[in-house]
Amino acid sequence: MLPLSYILKSDSRQGFSLISFVLAAILFGLFSWPVSEGVAAASSPPEYELKVAILYKLSRFVQWPKTEGVKPKSVNFCVFRNDPFSDSMTALQGQYVSQREIKVRYLANDGTGLSRCQLVFIGKSLNDAVWPPLQPILSNSTLTISDANSFAEKGGMIQITRRNKRLGFVVNMKAVNQSGIHLASPFLQMATLIHKERQ
Amino acid sequence: MNKAYLTFWEFMLPVVTLLIFIPFQLQAAETNKYLNMSLEDLLSTEVSSVSRKQELLKNAGAAVFVISAEDIRRSGVSSIPEALRMAPGVNVARINSNQWAISARGFNGRFANKLLVQIDGRTVYTPSFSGVYWDVQDLVLEDIDQIEVIRGPGATLWGSNAVNGVVNIITKQAIDTQGGLLVAAGGTLDKSIGSLRYGGAIGSQAYGRGYVKYHKTGQMQDNLTGAPAGDGWDSLRGGFRVDMESSARNAFTIQGDIYKNKANQFVAQLAQPTPPYVGSVADAVKASGLNALVRWEHKASEENKATLQAYFDRAKRDEVFLGQYYDTVDVDFQHAFSLNESQQVIWGLGYRSIKEKIRNSFAASVVAPNSRSNVYSGFIQDNIELGSDALHLILGSKFEHNDYTGWEVQPNARMTWSVDDSHTIWAAASRAVHTPSRVDTYGRAVAGVIPAIPPFIPVATPVYGLGSTNLKAESLIAYEVGYRTQPNESLNVDVALFYNTYDNLRSFEPVPGTANVRIDNKIKGYGYGAELATDWQAQDWWQIRLAYSFLTIKLHTKAGSTDTTSITTGESSSPKQQVSLRSSMTLLSNVELDVWGRYNSPLKHRNAGALVPGTQAPAAYTELDIKLGWKPRENIELAITGQNLLHARHMEFIQETSVQLIRPTSAVRSVYGKVTLQF
């Protein structure tokens, strides 16, 4: 039962040279793709970098209910359950909107701290187990935004949708009107509105 | 003329080709250039289809491939080993119904020991031979979040035995598996699969899930006769996971599993002490075990995180020729922090204690069978940003002390360069070791028995293959280079090249004055190859994925060795080329059709003809799986999957000769239907 010996075949030296050449040729071909010349030229942005920029820009069209007396110096942008998006959100830390400094906060899974957020971005992984328990904790002055499916239908204020490689908005007017938040009309004109109340 | 080493330039030609295209200017990558665009412009910008998976891969300085939950679902695989076939550079060979040989970049075998496999941070290899018994690694496949396959030495972060690669199986967090999941399947080879999982909230801060799974698999066929191979098996397991966040800074996870397996194997030639000195047995392998893991993650800030993890793993396996019982306790600590603006440091300490009990038999035994061994380890890694954010240098090392070879140091250096948003180049040089296992040091296997022929040979004398306590660790120095690109928004390409030099690989040398052989370290050599993975969204409804691997290994003996067979085994243990091509189509709105073609080169020298006359070495094979799925409603999926459809049967691997001979077995054409219900 001892293993028998086998004759070692000669090595494939010629085979390797060929492979070396073929690999070089493949790499040559891949590198011949046009390398991007400018910053915004060839490559499309990753979805979430675009979403972060959108959050930043749309916040300019948002008017939060005034708090008595004090004019707040900062605005809390909170992130709930959205790895790895949260890494991109750090790009907003220290930026300003309406003369208020943006502070980015990451919330725990039970939503602790939600009431102190002016804006909360809720991750795509939102499911029916998580959304209903959140709703009672939401305060009147928290703008809820998400890219989760059917978010606006389920009571969220702004849903970022994607159709044919472009992003868009669905705004649940009933939810917005029930809060103290006001969205400027230039923004509403870019969005699809649902649950509009009769004027 | 035989040439043992390739020339420096034969290796450098592809590398130089890669390097000459590097643009001279380093383009500083802005953190988010879209912040300056108006809202109207942002809405009219086309978005790329880079998935989360691709983003994770983009900056990885290693040959990483991610098998996502969606890949697992659409491919129709019914086990973790079968899912690994989707990764380039990983050779998965099904030996029989309950045994697989799985390795990365060469040296495959039933007892392959150069691939580190972890499930949720728990190492699943068995200390007896540092390999994996795949029949006892199972999960509710639908609850797997992703499987990360890293080819190349992962030594720095994960430790010894990640010589040729690491497989990290990660399950979904409890919060993402809420509600009920019921899976029921049945077919010709996967006779029945039943899984039930239920997840719910626990109080206001925690989520948990529990599951139960039963899997019964039928028999494959004897390679020569086509008769049932007597290798059917079944497995019953259950487990749970609880995730809790006590605050924004602290998260805890507790999880555990328990399992019980029975697998049949027909042992064709088993050494016996009495005439005729060899016999055959229809054996039933009984394996059972349980594990429990606790993990605490503390986030002081985004730049400062610590993790403390402890687990206990008990594994029992009883076969006719050996009984193994292992209790493992492992404690690991990791801390990641920003040293300054351009350096991220991770360091850690680990301790593992393994208690062993062995039941010996005549054919296989471990001298000094009850023991405890300890491994102490530490690692440190610094990720240094050079100049702009685009260029990173990562330096690290692992330090480990084990009971067999003492201290081992495994340093590694890598560089990643994000040329721009759509090109990344990386290169690495690393050292990794594979430390001896229990069987390597204290094992003793009977290769045959010399019958008593009085008066010349007074008593029957066993001929042994022996382990050695002087065995050194096998070592590897790996040079790798890779390139990841997205040439246009629907195509991703990932290429990795590697050149490995091996030293102190095991050989078997005769023990003077006897017919025995003893394990030694007298083989060295090299291996080189390339892996290619492409992901192409051909249409909105049609995605095509290709994985290609090329591998060559050349070994030779060192001075003083007379081993003539270990070289051929090492060189022919993995195929020269592997191709996996998957087409995923979404037809109508709720019908999915997946077609998966695979090709493996032949294993030329793997010839068991001497042991089972008439057996040919495994030939090249091409095979095809087709899965058709239908979702009549959002929460129900009906699917039918045909596997290995092109041939009634084909052989993928012949188990390396060890103490027992399992007759070569062929994989068979099979089909199964599955219902998945979420409630």
Side-chain angles (χ1 to χ4, degrees), chain B residues 433-597:
Chain B
V433 300
H434 168 67
T435 52
S437 65
R438 287 294 289 159
V439 161
D440 295 333
T441 44
Y442 292 102
R444 195 170 69 170
V446 174
V449 179
I450 303 174
I453 305 175
F456 307 105
I457 303 172
V459 294
T461 311
V463 174
Y464 290 115
L466 297 166
S468 165
T469 51
N470 294 327
L471 194 66
K472 294 184 267 211
E474 296 176 313
S475 75
L476 154 76
I477 300 195
Y479 306 95
E480 304 172 82
V481 70
Y483 174 58
R484 239 171 235 122
T485 181
Q486 205 182 2
N488 63 60
E489 63 163 31
S490 53
L491 179 63
N492 280 287
V493 178
D494 193 330
V495 179
L497 306 174
F498 64 93
Y499 177 68
N500 293 340
T501 61
Y502 295 101
D503 199 1
N504 292 327
L505 294 182
R506 56 211 38 205
S507 64
F508 284 92
E509 311 296 339
V511 178
T514 70
N516 300 333
V517 291
R518 171 169 275 130
I519 198 170
D520 205 332
N521 294 102
K522 291 201 161 70
I523 291 182
K524 61 196 290 187
Y526 60 91
Y528 57 85
E531 289 138 15
L532 170 72
T534 68
D535 201 326
W536 179 33
Q537 190 79 42
Q539 300 286 336
D540 264 347
W541 46 271
W542 189 18
Q543 188 163 15
I544 299 179
R545 292 182 193 79
L546 170 71
Y548 170 79
S549 334
F550 173 80
L551 171 72
T552 297
I553 294 192
K554 289 268 178 279
L555 305 174
H556 62 274
T557 51
K558 293 158 77 155
S561 169
T562 56
D563 187 332
T564 48
T565 53
S566 298
I567 291 177
T568 32
T569 308
E571 289 182 346
S572 63
S573 52
S574 291
K576 204 172 194 78
Q577 296 185 90
Q578 280 187 180
V579 183
S580 157
L581 184 60
R582 289 181 54 213
S583 153
S584 296
M585 293 189 210
T586 305
L587 312 167
L588 312 175
S589 58
N590 55 4
V591 172
E592 293 170 341
L593 176 66
D594 279 70
V595 180
W596 183 10

Side-chain angles (χ1 to χ4, degrees), chain A residues 1 4 6 11 13 16-17 20 31 36 39 44-45 48-50 57 81 108-110 162 165-166, chain B residues 3 10 21 32-35 37 44 47-48 55 175-176 204 245 420 447 489 528 554 565 607 610:
Chain A
M1 250 174 55
L4 296 183
Y6 297 97
D11 72 321
R13 178 192 174 142
F16 173 68
S17 294
S20 171
F31 270 96
S36 85
V39 156
S44 304
Y48 47 85
E49 269 194 30
L50 209 56
K57 281 291 139 85
R81 287 196 56 69
N109 272 354
D110 62 352
R162 178 180 159 154
K165 298 177 197 152
R166 288 192 167 81
Chain B
K3 183 175 73 71
E10 279 178 330
F21 280 91
N32 189 334
K33 47 194 168 246
Y34 307 102
L35 291 182
M37 290 168 68
S44 56
V47 150
S48 81
E55 268 315 303
I175 195 176
D176 293 321
S204 63
E245 278 190 23
D420 62 22
E489 63 163 31
Y528 57 85
K554 289 268 178 279
T565 53
N607 195 337

